[in-house]
Coordinates of all heavy atoms in Angstrom, one line a residue:
G1 N 0.8 -1.2 0.0 CA 0.0 0.0 0.0 C 0.8 1.3 0.0 O 0.3 2.4 0.0
L2 N 2.2 1.1 0.0 CA 3.1 2.3 0.0 C 3.9 2.4 -1.2 O 4.2 3.6 -1.6 CB 4.0 2.1 1.3 CG 3.3 2.1 2.6 CD1 4.3 1.7 3.7 CD2 2.6 3.4 2.9
S3 N 4.4 1.3 -1.8 CA 5.4 1.4 -2.9 C 4.7 0.9 -4.2 O 4.1 -0.2 -4.2 CB 6.6 0.5 -2.6 OG 7.2 0.0 -3.7
V4 N 4.9 1.7 -5.3 CA 4.3 1.2 -6.5 C 4.9 -0.1 -7.0 O 4.2 -0.9 -7.6 CB 4.4 2.3 -7.6 CG1 3.6 3.6 -7.3 CG2 5.9 2.7 -7.9
S5 N 6.2 -0.3 -6.8 CA 6.8 -1.5 -7.2 C 6.3 -2.7 -6.5 O 6.0 -3.8 -7.1 CB 8.4 -1.4 -7.0 OG 8.9 -0.3 -7.7
I6 N 6.1 -2.6 -5.2 CA 5.6 -3.7 -4.4 C 4.1 -3.9 -4.7 O 3.7 -5.1 -4.9 CB 5.7 -3.5 -2.9 CG1 7.2 -3.4 -2.5 CG2 5.1 -4.6 -2.1 CD1 7.5 -3.0 -1.0
A7 N 3.4 -2.8 -4.9 CA 2.0 -3.0 -5.3 C 1.8 -3.7 -6.6 O 1.0 -4.6 -6.8 CB 1.3 -1.6 -5.4
A8 N 2.7 -3.4 -7.6 CA 2.7 -4.1 -8.9 C 3.0 -5.6 -8.7 O 2.3 -6.4 -9.3 CB 3.7 -3.5 -9.8
A9 N 3.9 -5.9 -7.8 CA 4.3 -7.3 -7.6 C 3.1 -8.0 -6.9 O 2.8 -9.2 -7.2 CB 5.5 -7.4 -6.7
S10 N 2.4 -7.3 -6.0 CA 1.2 -7.9 -5.3 C 0.1 -8.3 -6.3 O -0.5 -9.3 -6.2 CB 0.7 -7.0 -4.2 OG -0.1 -6.0 -4.7
I11 N -0.1 -7.4 -7.3 CA -1.1 -7.6 -8.4 C -0.7 -8.8 -9.2 O -1.5 -9.7 -9.5 CB -1.3 -6.4 -9.2 CG1 -1.9 -5.3 -8.3 CG2 -2.1 -6.6 -10.4 CD1 -1.9 -3.9 -9.0
V12 N 0.5 -8.9 -9.7 CA 1.0 -10.0 -10.6 C 0.9 -11.3 -9.8 O 0.4 -12.3 -10.3 CB 2.4 -9.7 -11.1 CG1 2.9 -10.9 -11.8 CG2 2.4 -8.5 -12.0
A13 N 1.3 -11.3 -8.6 CA 1.3 -12.5 -7.8 C -0.1 -13.0 -7.5 O -0.5 -14.2 -7.7 CB 2.0 -12.4 -6.4
K14 N -1.0 -12.1 -7.2 CA -2.4 -12.4 -6.9 C -3.1 -12.9 -8.2 O -3.8 -13.9 -8.1 CB -3.1 -11.2 -6.4 CG -4.7 -11.3 -6.3 CD -5.1 -12.3 -5.2 CE -6.6 -12.2 -5.0 NZ -7.1 -13.4 -4.2
V15 N -3.0 -12.2 -9.3 CA -3.7 -12.7 -10.5 C -3.1 -14.0 -11.0 O -3.9 -14.9 -11.4 CB -3.5 -11.6 -11.7 CG1 -4.0 -12.2 -13.0 CG2 -4.2 -10.3 -11.3
T16 N -1.8 -14.2 -10.9 CA -1.2 -15.5 -11.3 C -1.8 -16.6 -10.4 O -2.2 -17.7 -10.9 CB 0.3 -15.4 -11.2 OG1 0.8 -14.4 -12.0 CG2 0.9 -16.8 -11.6
R17 N -1.8 -16.4 -9.1 CA -2.3 -17.5 -8.2 C -3.8 -17.7 -8.4 O -4.2 -18.9 -8.4 CB -2.0 -17.1 -6.8 CG -2.4 -18.3 -5.8 CD -2.1 -18.0 -4.4 NE -2.3 -19.3 -3.6 CZ -3.5 -19.8 -3.3 NH1 -4.6 -19.1 -3.5 NH2 -3.5 -20.9 -2.6
D18 N -4.6 -16.7 -8.6 CA -6.0 -16.9 -8.8 C -6.2 -17.7 -10.1 O -7.1 -18.6 -10.1 CB -6.7 -15.5 -9.0 CG -7.0 -14.8 -7.6 OD1 -6.6 -15.5 -6.6 OD2 -7.5 -13.7 -7.6
R19 N -5.5 -17.4 -11.1 CA -5.6 -18.2 -12.4 C -5.3 -19.7 -12.1 O -5.9 -20.6 -12.7 CB -4.8 -17.6 -13.5 CG -5.3 -16.2 -14.0 CD -4.3 -15.6 -15.0 NE -4.8 -14.4 -15.5 CZ -4.2 -13.6 -16.4 NH1 -3.0 -14.0 -16.8 NH2 -4.7 -12.5 -16.8
L20 N -4.2 -19.9 -11.4 CA -3.8 -21.3 -11.1 C -4.9 -22.0 -10.3 O -5.2 -23.2 -10.5 CB -2.5 -21.3 -10.3 CG -1.2 -20.9 -11.0 CD1 -0.1 -20.8 -10.0 CD2 -0.9 -21.9 -12.1
M21 N -5.5 -21.3 -9.3 CA -6.5 -21.9 -8.5 C -7.8 -22.1 -9.3 O -8.6 -23.1 -9.0 CB -6.8 -21.1 -7.2 CG -5.6 -21.0 -6.3 SD -5.0 -22.7 -5.8 CE -6.4 -23.4 -5.0
Q22 N -8.1 -21.3 -10.3 CA -9.2 -21.6 -11.1 C -9.0 -22.8 -11.9 O -9.9 -23.6 -12.2 CB -9.4 -20.4 -12.1 CG -10.0 -19.2 -11.3 CD -9.9 -17.9 -12.1 OE1 -9.3 -17.8 -13.2 NE2 -10.4 -16.8 -11.6
A23 N -7.7 -23.1 -12.4 CA -7.4 -24.3 -13.1 C -7.6 -25.5 -12.1 O -8.1 -26.6 -12.5 CB -6.0 -24.2 -13.6
V24 N -7.1 -25.4 -10.9 CA -7.3 -26.4 -9.9 C -8.8 -26.7 -9.7 O -9.2 -27.8 -9.6 CB -6.6 -26.1 -8.6 CG1 -7.0 -27.0 -7.5 CG2 -5.1 -26.0 -8.7
G25 N -9.6 -25.6 -9.7 CA -11.0 -25.8 -9.5 C -11.7 -26.6 -10.6 O -12.6 -27.3 -10.4
R26 N -11.2 -26.4 -11.8 CA -11.7 -27.1 -13.0 C -11.4 -28.6 -12.8 O -12.2 -29.5 -13.2 CB -11.2 -26.6 -14.3 CG -11.8 -25.2 -14.6 CD -11.5 -24.8 -16.0 NE -10.0 -24.5 -16.2 CZ -9.5 -23.3 -16.0 NH1 -10.2 -22.3 -15.6 NH2 -8.2 -23.1 -16.3
A27 N -10.2 -28.9 -12.3 CA -9.8 -30.3 -12.1 C -10.5 -31.0 -10.9 O -10.7 -32.2 -10.9 CB -8.3 -30.4 -12.0
Y28 N -10.8 -30.1 -9.9 CA -11.4 -30.7 -8.6 C -12.6 -29.8 -8.3 O -12.6 -29.0 -7.4 CB -10.4 -30.6 -7.5 CG -9.3 -31.6 -7.6 CD1 -8.1 -31.2 -8.4 CD2 -9.3 -32.8 -7.0 CE1 -7.1 -32.1 -8.5 CE2 -8.2 -33.7 -7.1 CZ -7.2 -33.3 -7.9 OH -6.1 -34.2 -8.0
P29 N -13.7 -30.0 -9.1 CA -14.9 -29.1 -9.0 C -15.6 -29.2 -7.7 O -16.4 -28.3 -7.4 CB -15.7 -29.5 -10.2 CG -15.3 -30.9 -10.5 CD -13.9 -30.9 -10.2
D30 N -15.4 -30.3 -7.0 CA -16.2 -30.4 -5.7 C -15.8 -29.5 -4.6 O -16.5 -29.4 -3.6 CB -16.1 -31.9 -5.2 CG -16.7 -32.9 -6.2 OD1 -17.7 -32.5 -6.8 OD2 -16.3 -34.1 -6.2
Y31 N -14.7 -28.8 -4.7 CA -14.1 -28.1 -3.6 C -14.4 -26.5 -3.7 O -14.2 -25.8 -2.8 CB -12.6 -28.3 -3.5 CG -12.3 -29.7 -3.0 CD1 -12.1 -30.7 -4.0 CD2 -12.2 -30.0 -1.7 CE1 -11.8 -32.0 -3.6 CE2 -11.9 -31.3 -1.3 CZ -11.7 -32.3 -2.2 OH -11.4 -33.6 -1.8
G32 N -14.8 -26.1 -4.9 CA -15.1 -24.6 -5.0 C -13.9 -23.8 -5.0 O -13.9 -22.6 -4.7
F33 N -12.7 -24.3 -5.5 CA -11.5 -23.5 -5.5 C -11.6 -22.3 -6.4 O -10.9 -21.3 -6.1 CB -10.3 -24.4 -6.0 CG -9.9 -25.4 -5.1 CD1 -9.8 -26.8 -5.5 CD2 -9.5 -25.1 -3.8 CE1 -9.4 -27.8 -4.6 CE2 -9.1 -26.1 -2.9 CZ -9.0 -27.4 -3.3
D34 N -12.4 -22.3 -7.4 CA -12.5 -21.2 -8.3 C -13.1 -20.0 -7.6 O -12.9 -18.8 -8.0 CB -13.4 -21.5 -9.5 CG -14.7 -22.0 -9.2 OD1 -14.9 -22.7 -8.1 OD2 -15.7 -21.8 -9.9
S35 N -13.8 -20.2 -6.5 CA -14.4 -19.1 -5.7 C -13.6 -18.7 -4.5 O -13.3 -17.5 -4.3 CB -15.9 -19.4 -5.3 OG -15.9 -20.5 -4.4
H36 N -13.2 -19.6 -3.7 CA -12.5 -19.2 -2.5 C -11.0 -19.3 -2.6 O -10.3 -18.9 -1.7 CB -13.0 -20.1 -1.3 CG -12.8 -21.6 -1.5 ND1 -11.6 -22.2 -1.6 CD2 -13.8 -22.6 -1.6 CE1 -11.8 -23.5 -1.8 NE2 -13.1 -23.8 -1.7
K37 N -10.5 -19.9 -3.7 CA -9.0 -19.9 -4.0 C -8.2 -20.6 -2.9 O -7.0 -20.4 -2.8 CB -8.5 -18.5 -4.2 CG -9.2 -17.6 -5.1 CD -9.3 -18.2 -6.5 CE -9.9 -17.2 -7.5 NZ -11.3 -16.9 -7.3
G38 N -8.9 -21.5 -2.1 CA -8.2 -22.3 -1.1 C -8.2 -21.7 0.2 O -7.6 -22.3 1.2

């Protein structure tokens, strides 16, 4: 919340992980990973 460089890193990390968890959710649909991300 203070540095533009860290904020950018937080966005890239978050979007990357969310996309990975959406893929996990497609493979394991019973757990709802696509919504709660684990």
Side-chain angles (χ1 to χ4, degrees):
L2 299 173
S3 155
V4 292
S5 301
I6 298 177
S10 79
I11 292 167
V12 172
K14 171 67 173 168
V15 170
T16 301
R17 187 178 188 279
D18 282 357
R19 290 176 178 177
L20 288 172
M21 294 309 295
Q22 287 164 357
V24 170
R26 290 191 290 272
Y28 292 84
D30 292 333
Y31 292 90
F33 289 126
D34 55 330
S35 61
H36 56 65
K37 309 301 189 294

